[in-house]
Amino acid sequence: MSNEKKLEELALNLFKIDAVKFGDFMTKSGIKTPVYFDLRVIVSYPDIMELISVLLYDFFIKDKKCEQLCGVPYTALPIATLLSVKAKTSMLMRRKEAKSYGTKKVIEGHYKQGDSCLIIEDVVTSGSSVLETVNDLRKEGLKAEEAIVILDREQGGKQNLATNNVQMQSLFTMTELINILVKNKKISEQIGKDVINYLSNVQAPKSAPELERVLLPYEKRAKLATNAVAKQLFDIMAIKKTNLCLSVDLTSSTKILDLLEKVGEHVCLVKTHIDIIEDYTSEFILQLKQLAQRLNFLILEDRKYADIGNTVLLQYSKGLYKVEQWADSVTCHSLPGEGILKALNSSTNVISRGVFLLAEMSSEGNLITPDYTEATVKMAAKYPELITGFVCQKKDTFKDPGLIQLTPGVQLESSKDELGQVYNTPEKVILENGADVIVVGRGIVAAKNPESQAIIYKDTLWRCYMKRVSGKME
Ligand code: 5BU
């Protein structure tokens, strides 16, 4: 039997078992509707369930690569189960309410961060039920970007899902289903027309546009972070009221520790270039970590890894510095390709880890192009639990509010140094360019009184941030 015939057979069966009814009905929200669907009854008809799963499999799943399937509770659960068995693809179950005892898990099943998960649903009107499931999966670090459904009521759900980066495909649109029923004389042409008119006049409200990253306060963004270091950094910023990252570009370990003793309380992050220190010892790291603990800041080693994965893994875990043992996060180029992220992700000796991926640079004449930046952001999306954020200069570089924009090249006055560094002001980088954490090096380190200068930077940067989240930007 052709696929077209099978679809027709399904439509007629759904009509026969009263899964689709015509007349005067009330929806959940109290609106009158001339058509009503209740696919829950299919559990009483194994032949129909089998037909649905065969069609969904042949149309959408056969040639798809995904690691997981997840049905939207509850009607789609048996369909997802049949598909999981047929496709030999593992399945996840989303709880509607988190358990009040035990693990409090919302998503049940075994999965890895970054696994792609295909959503299965019966009927889509506004798309809100699919989105609830998508959001819970995304919070767990899963990729949920595609949904397959039995019926699209054509009331705006497909567009709402696309706004939220979920592509939806359906076995039938409502128009197609009506046409089959009219053709087979199950309903009159007039009823068919009335239903189609009704649906085009009663559209679901458009889902709210995604929350704009730069307007959300750090404490809210902490909850959206999928990397543990990003979450910690958002929390520290909110608690200490500072978004200042000090770049301690000094070559003496005692000078670094002395400086941090004075300014550590004013910063959320300390950025190191460990290989410029001339008297490096492991004792230095011990003391640095103690300061970080006592004064509540994180450590970013600005190593800018840029080699093949195997070499980067050695650079990260071995040698003199053993960066993985003490750096909360490291910087890394995307240039060599994904292997570099796989390498950093595979290291096993770390308690918490993060990566700031370089999407843009502050120096004049750097060779990064808009395409490179875009590809970098795409690459990062595959490693949600690893990526802390991006080192970048522009607000539109990425959208995800759970990631952090780290912006270097900042001083109180805009200027340049003699080797190509370009400085923008705090106002410009925070209010116009979307910086979340602001890197200041020589602006503080080379000042006559670094401590009072750090306080000036901290206060100025925080004022700009407060202005930004209050939405009062001019
Ligand atoms: P400065 O003294 O504020 O210019 O120091 C800036 C620091 O940030 C310095 O350690 C650089 O290595 C680092 N940096 C940068 O300036 N520009 C970039 O695009 C990147 C890092 Br990525």
Side-chain angles (χ1 to χ4, degrees):
M1 204 189 316
S2 71
N3 277 338
E4 215 184 350
K5 272 263 157 254
K6 281 190 201 159
L7 267 183
E8 194 164 325
E9 189 196 345
L10 176 60
L12 297 174
N13 275 324
L14 290 177
F15 183 78
K16 194 162 82 191
I17 64 169
D18 271 349
V20 45
K21 286 191 257 192
F22 297 85
D24 273 333
F25 303 99
M26 250 347 159
T27 65
K28 255 193 283 179
S29 42
I31 306 167
K32 269 175 74 172
T33 164
V35 63
Y36 185 76
F37 281 92
D38 182 1
L39 265 68
R40 278 171 295 192
V41 295
I42 57 174
V43 288
S44 309
Y45 303 91
D47 291 351
I48 297 182
M49 282 208 290
E50 188 180 30
L51 181 56
I52 290 173
S53 61
V54 165
L55 285 167
L56 287 172
Y57 178 79
D58 285 350
F59 277 36
F60 307 122
I61 301 194
K62 207 166 49 181
D63 302 313
K64 210 177 274 303
K65 280 214 173 74
C66 65
E67 280 88 27
Q68 307 282 352
L69 300 177
C70 181
V72 175
Y74 292 104
T75 315
L77 292 187
I79 301 292
T81 312
L82 290 174
L83 285 170
S84 157
V85 173
K86 195 165 175 61
K88 300 207 180 351
T89 299
S90 66
M91 182 177 117
L92 297 169
M93 282 209 295
R94 170 185 164 246
R95 288 178 181 281
K96 275 200 157 182
E97 292 86 21
K99 282 193 291 185
S100 55
Y101 58 92
T103 57
K104 292 217 166 133
K105 271 173 126 187
V106 179
I107 304 293
E108 297 284 1
H110 285 175
Y111 55 89
K112 289 192 305 305
Q113 301 273 316
D115 273 357
S116 62
C117 181
L118 183 68
I119 315 289
I120 320 287
E121 174 61 311
D122 57 343
V123 182
V124 162
T125 306
S126 68
S128 58
S129 298
V130 171
L131 276 180
E132 274 171 30
T133 296
V134 163
N135 288 338
D136 278 347
L137 291 166
R138 285 181 178 167
K139 273 188 216 145
E140 292 300 312
L142 287 139
K143 235 169 66 185
E145 294 175 349
E146 282 183 79
I148 58 170
V149 311
I150 301 173
L151 180 79
D152 172 13
R153 282 182 60 121
E154 295 173 296
Q155 285 176 282
K158 189 171 180 156
Q159 291 81 342
N160 279 341
L161 290 174
T163 310
N164 288 281
N165 198 24
V166 180
Q167 304 314 312
M168 186 196 98
Q169 290 180 295
S170 59
L171 273 186
F172 303 103
T173 61
M174 187 63 137
T175 313
E176 289 163 349
L177 182 70
I178 298 287
N179 287 342
I180 295 174
L181 295 178
V182 171
K183 189 180 119 197
N184 287 276
K185 302 206 178 346
K186 300 293 175 196
I187 55 171
S188 69
E189 273 193 40
Q190 190 54 48
I191 291 182
K193 271 191 200 141
D194 289 347
V195 170
I196 287 171
N197 267 342
Y198 161 83
L199 293 172
S200 63
N201 288 331
V202 184
Q203 288 285 304
K206 295 228 173 349
S207 74
E210 286 171 54
L211 286 170
E212 215 193 324
R213 161 174 76 88
V214 295
L215 295 177
L216 280 178
Y218 297 139
E219 48 269 47
K220 287 223 170 105
R221 292 175 61 185
K223 298 199 175 78
L224 303 171
T226 46
N227 167 248
V229 178
K231 182 177 165 10
Q232 243 182 310
L233 193 49
F234 278 129
D235 284 337
I236 291 176
M237 290 196 279
I239 289 166
K240 290 177 73 179
K241 298 198 186 320
T242 175
N243 49 7
L244 171 60
C245 164
L246 179 67
S247 185
V248 275
D249 298 337
L250 296 167
T251 55
S252 141
S253 56
T254 0
K255 283 197 177 145
I256 292 177
L257 295 171
D258 285 350
L259 178 61
L260 290 179
E261 184 69 60
K262 291 191 196 116
V263 305
E265 64 176 296
H266 305 300
V267 307
C268 59
L269 184 67
V270 165
K271 187 171 83 59
T272 52
H273 284 293
I274 202 68
D275 54 357
I276 66 173
I277 298 175
E278 289 182 310
D279 54 354
Y280 175 86
T281 58
S282 50
E283 177 60 25
F284 165 70
I285 291 298
L286 277 179
Q287 294 192 29
L288 178 65
K289 287 300 269 183
Q290 276 168 10
L291 275 172
Q293 182 109 49
R294 176 155 58 83
L295 301 173
N296 197 20
F297 58 77
L298 298 184
I299 303 169
L300 168 67
E301 165 56 16
D302 192 5
R303 175 61 180 76
K304 298 189 184 66
Y305 294 108
D307 213 316
I308 58 164
N310 185 58
T311 304
V312 168
L313 183 54
L314 293 169
Q315 290 171 321
Y316 181 51
S317 56
K318 307 281 179 192
L320 191 54
Y321 304 119
K322 305 196 178 16
V323 175
E324 66 166 15
Q325 292 178 12
W326 52 268
D328 296 294
S329 197
V330 294
T331 54
C332 166
H333 284 285
S334 54
L335 180 82
E338 233 180 279
I340 200 163
L341 295 181
K342 277 196 193 133
L344 293 170
N345 214 15
S346 70
S347 169
T348 49
N349 294 328
V350 288
I351 306 154
S352 78
R353 95 186 97 199
V355 169
F356 276 99
L357 210 48
L358 265 80
E360 281 157 342
M361 288 195 73
S362 63
S363 46
E364 213 165 34
N366 73 75
L367 302 181
I368 293 180
T369 61
D371 282 352
Y372 180 93
T373 302
E374 200 185 318
T376 302
V377 172
K378 270 208 185 121
M379 188 193 285
K382 296 189 191 162
Y383 296 84
E385 91 292 5
L386 176 69
I387 303 294
T388 313
F390 298 99
V391 187
C392 68
Q393 298 286 327
K394 290 197 222 77
K395 180 175 132 185
D396 295 329
T397 304
F398 69 97
K399 283 209 173 81
D400 186 342
L403 296 173
I404 294 176
Q405 173 173 341
L406 183 82
T407 301
V410 180
Q411 287 206 351
L412 295 172
E413 305 290 331
S414 45
S415 61
K416 286 181 186 173
D417 76 4
E418 61 286 1
L419 296 175
Q421 173 72 303
V422 179
Y423 291 113
N424 289 307
T425 60
E427 288 76 16
K428 173 134 175 124
V429 295
I430 295 178
L431 295 171
E432 268 180 56
N433 295 354
D436 295 316
V437 175
I438 292 84
V439 179
V440 180
R442 285 163 287 176
I444 292 172
V445 174
K448 275 205 194 96
N449 183 340
E451 190 180 357
S452 58
Q453 197 66 0
I455 296 174
I456 293 174
Y457 270 97
K458 168 191 165 182
D459 291 344
T460 313
L461 295 168
W462 194 254
R463 215 175 326 111
C464 292
Y465 158 74
M466 290 301 285
K467 191 168 171 184
R468 182 172 94 183
V469 291
S470 73
K472 291 192 193 110
M473 289 181 274
E474 54 274 345

